[in-house]
């Protein structure tokens, strides 16, 4: 067999196989694109399976409480599902959107904690003031037994 003919034939077969592989990949990409569309249940499930561990890690590293981190991830996915039509139309990638949402959830968590501390401090002050006032209303001989 002529060497030139052999390589030409091998190149033609290789090019044909390459073209077939490209068509297969394009078909798979189109199918994957549908499966990754978060507007569908299947696409949303794929998104959850791919992104939930990453989001959990972001939240858990910053707050250190497993249950709260899981709840944050759940809230993020709930929000994404509710807003999925608007999110798909945005230019940013969904991964970027979700990572940003996780970071904002952590910030909200710390704001909420700080707000709760301030409220508890005010409640404690109010309780102490009312306790002192009530204690002053007792007769003097009872006060020595109470405090």
């Amino acid at each position: 067999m002529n060497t030139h003919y052999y390589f030409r034939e091998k190149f033609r077969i290789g090019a044909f196989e390459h073209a077939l592989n490209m068509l297969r990949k394009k078909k798979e990409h189109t199918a994957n694109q549908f499966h990754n569309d978060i507007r569908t249940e299947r696409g949303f499930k794929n998104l959850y399976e791919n992104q939930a561990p990453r989001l959990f890690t972001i939240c858990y590293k910053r707050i250190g409480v497993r249950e709260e981190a899981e709840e944050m991830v759940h809230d993020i996915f709930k929000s994404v599902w509710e807003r999925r039509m608007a999110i798909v139309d945005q230019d940013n990638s969904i991964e970027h959107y979700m990572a940003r949402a996780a970071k904002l959830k952590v910030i909200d968590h710390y704001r909420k904690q700080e707000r709760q501390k301030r409220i508890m401090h005010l409640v404690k002050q109010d309780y102490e003031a009312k306790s002192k006032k009530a204690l002053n209303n007792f007769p003097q001989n009872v006060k020595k037994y109470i405090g």
Side-chain angles (χ1 to χ4, degrees), residues 110-140:
Y110 283 116
R111 284 182 183 154
K112 183 178 176 183
Q113 263 189 345
E114 192 60 37
R115 194 170 38 247
Q116 286 175 339
K117 283 181 186 177
R118 284 194 308 254
I119 290 170
M120 289 304 294
H121 180 71
L122 291 173
V123 167
K124 183 179 176 184
Q125 283 180 337
D126 187 50
Y127 174 76
E128 288 173 353
K130 287 181 179 179
S131 296
K132 284 182 182 178
K133 187 177 181 181
L135 190 59
N136 288 334
N137 290 336
F138 281 109
Q140 197 65 339

Side-chain angles (χ1 to χ4, degrees), residues 2-3 12 15 20 22 24 30 38-39 42 48 50 61 76 79 81 90 94 103 113 117 119 130-131 138 143:
N2 184 353
T3 309
R12 190 172 26 176
L20 278 177
M22 292 299 286
R24 284 185 195 123
T30 304
I38 64 168
R39 292 176 288 194
R42 187 173 187 177
Y48 182 85
N50 292 326
K61 279 184 176 180
I76 292 166
S79 172
W81 179 253
Q90 291 181 356
I94 188 69
K103 290 172 185 172
Q113 263 189 345
K117 283 181 186 177
I119 290 170
K130 287 181 179 179
S131 296
F138 281 109
K143 285 185 190 178

Side-chain angles (χ1 to χ4, degrees), residues 38-41 44 77-84:
I38 64 168
R39 292 176 288 194
T40 66
E41 233 177 280
F44 189 78
F77 277 99
K78 181 181 172 206
S79 172
V80 168
W81 179 253
E82 291 169 351
R83 300 185 62 228
R84 66 190 179 278

Side-chain angles (χ1 to χ4, degrees), residues 22-36:
M22 292 299 286
L23 285 173
R24 284 185 195 123
K25 285 181 182 178
K26 184 175 182 181
K27 189 175 181 180
E28 287 173 7
H29 176 72
T30 304
N32 286 339
Q33 209 171 13
F34 174 73
H35 296 312
N36 291 333

